[in-house]
Amino acid sequence: MQCKVAPSILSANFNRLGQDIARCRETGADYLHFDVMDGIFVPNISFGLPVLESVRKETDMVLDVHLMIDRPVRYVERFCQAGADIVTVHVEADTEENTRKALELIRGCGKRAAVSVKPKTPAEAVLPFLELCSMVLVMTVEPGFGGQSFMADMMPKVTAIRRYITEKGLDCEVEVDGGVALDTAKTCADAGANVLVAGSAYFKAAEPAAFVKALHGLAVRT
Ligand code: DX5
Ligand code: ZN
């Protein structure tokens, strides 16, 4: 299995967002990662529905929407309608019942549903939801900001989730997010991640196409 690359537009230049998005496509990136923050679930505020609608008009790339918002069940359908292809909710953001409901609503919209875990949340927290999910996102930094250091101690969690998916024969991708650069990307692929989010590493790369190509060359251990 080959790695996919998802540049996080949190690190883009918002004065020329359209051009930066076009470049993601031209350089061979697979998904466009879209970080939504509400200032409650995480201590930062980013962008939301109107920006997603604009981005949707700008590109046909797979839009991977990472909701770092409190009680996302309230909003998932609107993110689907605004153009998301994948909608990720955090298991810490609501009750188990509401998380399940959010995933069902996303699927009901014909979109891919995903769950995410913060660094302090164990792998077991996502397992009850995996049958509803097309992807699991393991955070490799505390969510809220780009440009933080990669937490290598999250790799056993990635491996545990990958193993569970393989054992159960589920059709579910494993994504990592936070501090992913050339060196740490290999660590992630070795641990079993197949979707690599990269914010600062992608947007600061002197040659983003070469960066994407290098990540595509990593073999995922499944
Ligand atoms: C952090 C976000 C990430 C962030 C990653 O809360 O979820 O997607 O943009 O940025 P880097 O790759 O710079 O750590
Ligand atoms: Zn993210």
Side-chain angles (χ1 to χ4, degrees):
M1 194 195 296
Q2 204 193 353
C3 275
K4 291 177 182 164
V5 185
S8 165
I9 60 164
L10 191 62
S11 296
N13 180 342
F14 299 125
N15 287 322
R16 44 152 219 251
L17 185 57
Q19 286 161 257
D20 276 9
I21 288 171
R23 193 169 49 135
C24 289
R25 195 183 205 305
E26 286 156 18
T27 53
D30 303 275
Y31 298 166
L32 201 64
H33 189 79
F34 190 94
D35 286 307
V36 181
M37 305 182 186
D38 67 351
I40 296 172
F41 183 70
V42 289
N44 198 8
I45 296 176
S46 58
F47 38 70
L49 290 160
V51 179
L52 182 62
E53 275 172 26
S54 297
V55 169
R56 177 74 288 167
K57 288 184 194 135
E58 192 75 24
T59 185
D60 60 1
M61 285 181 79
V62 171
L63 297 183
D64 168 25
V65 175
H66 178 193
L67 296 181
M68 287 164 275
I69 66 174
D70 188 49
R71 291 175 287 145
V73 67
R74 299 173 295 160
Y75 289 102
V76 289
E77 285 177 297
R78 290 179 65 188
F79 279 96
C80 291
Q81 286 151 12
D85 295 296
I86 305 171
V87 178
T88 302
V89 297
H90 269 268
V91 297
E92 305 88 354
D94 209 333
T95 61
E96 187 168 330
E97 187 188 353
N98 281 344
T99 299
R100 183 170 293 276
K101 189 169 170 206
L103 297 169
E104 282 165 355
L105 286 172
I106 298 163
R107 288 164 63 101
C109 291
K111 308 294 182 178
R112 292 185 237 170
V115 282
S116 181
V117 276
K118 298 204 283 184
K120 291 192 185 81
T121 306
E124 290 70 38
V126 298
L127 304 184
F129 304 112
L130 286 193
E131 305 218 351
L132 291 169
C133 291
S134 304
M135 190 166 79
V136 176
L137 167 54
V138 177
M139 291 305 300
T140 43
V141 296
E142 282 297 337
F145 302 90
Q148 303 182 77
S149 300
F150 179 75
M151 298 169 72
D153 53 338
M154 294 300 116
M155 295 304 99
K157 196 193 290 188
V158 170
T159 302
I161 292 170
R162 169 60 73 192
R163 193 174 299 141
Y164 185 88
I165 288 168
T166 306
E167 278 169 15
K168 298 273 176 190
L170 301 172
D171 185 13
C172 190
E173 300 198 288
V174 181
E175 182 177 57
V176 284
D177 183 8
V180 177
L182 271 184
D183 50 350
T184 52
K186 181 168 181 351
T187 309
C188 294
D190 282 345
N194 75 300
V195 183
L196 309 175
V197 176
S200 36
Y202 175 85
F203 283 99
K204 282 186 187 156
E207 290 184 53
F211 176 79
V212 172
K213 199 171 169 210
L215 267 52
H216 278 164
L218 299 171
V220 181
R221 192 169 297 166
T222 57

